[in-house]
Amino acid sequence: MEQTTQRPRMPFSLKVSLGILAFQVLSNGAMGVLLLYFAAEDAEHGRSVPGLQYVLAYVSVAVAVVLIGCAVLLGRRVPGARIVVAVLEVLTVISGLLAVVQGAVQGVVGIVLAVLVIAHLFRADVSAWLRPAPAESVTRTG
């Protein structure tokens, strides 16, 4: 008789976080590409393009790329990716708060999504799933 160990299933909380991260990747990537497109259109028509627009565009695309990498690493059970995601989400909360203070109510959506990701990533079941399992040997009896 052979005894094997099965890999535990990914917790639902982590799946929720990965789903929200996918949405954030799409929205950050799209925003960065749109900002670059509008900057190119302005430059093509002889209008000046503020340097901040390029900075925001490239930062938005970079955040999307980092979030893709972290999502893949979280799926592969790399616990360090959780810290990177948490830092980016805290920055998202700060950015959302600044937007709300300036009157952009849609900043609340970013805050809520960031808080949901952080709350789900640090649940006990996700922490246990990300923790490396001790190496067990396969035993044969019979």
Side-chain angles (χ1 to χ4, degrees):
M1 184 159 108
E2 187 175 323
Q3 181 182 15
T4 60
T5 58
Q6 287 185 334
R7 182 176 175 176
R9 297 185 70 163
M10 183 184 291
F12 181 73
S13 298
L14 184 57
K15 290 178 183 179
V16 169
S17 291
L18 292 176
I20 295 171
L21 286 177
F23 174 76
Q24 289 177 328
V25 164
L26 291 174
S27 61
N28 274 316
M31 184 56 66
V33 169
L34 278 174
L35 285 171
L36 288 172
Y37 172 78
F38 291 141
E41 282 290 313
D42 286 345
E44 185 178 309
H45 289 84
R47 295 184 291 260
S48 65
V49 180
L52 182 60
Q53 186 171 351
Y54 286 112
V55 170
L56 291 175
Y58 288 121
V59 166
S60 187
V61 170
V63 166
V65 170
V66 169
L67 286 177
I68 287 172
C70 287
V72 169
L73 291 174
L74 284 170
R76 292 185 178 189
R77 300 176 81 167
V78 177
R82 180 168 60 169
I83 301 303
V84 176
V85 171
V87 168
L88 289 175
E89 298 299 341
V90 167
L91 292 174
T92 301
V93 169
I94 293 169
S95 173
L97 288 173
L98 290 173
V100 169
V101 167
Q102 293 176 354
V105 181
Q106 63 268 26
V108 173
V109 174
I111 294 170
V112 169
L113 292 177
V115 169
L116 282 173
V117 169
I118 292 170
H120 284 292
L121 277 183
F122 287 94
R123 287 179 50 122
D125 56 345
V126 174
S127 294
W129 190 80
L130 288 174
R131 198 171 304 118
E136 294 182 25
S137 62
V138 176
T139 57
R140 293 182 185 209
T141 57

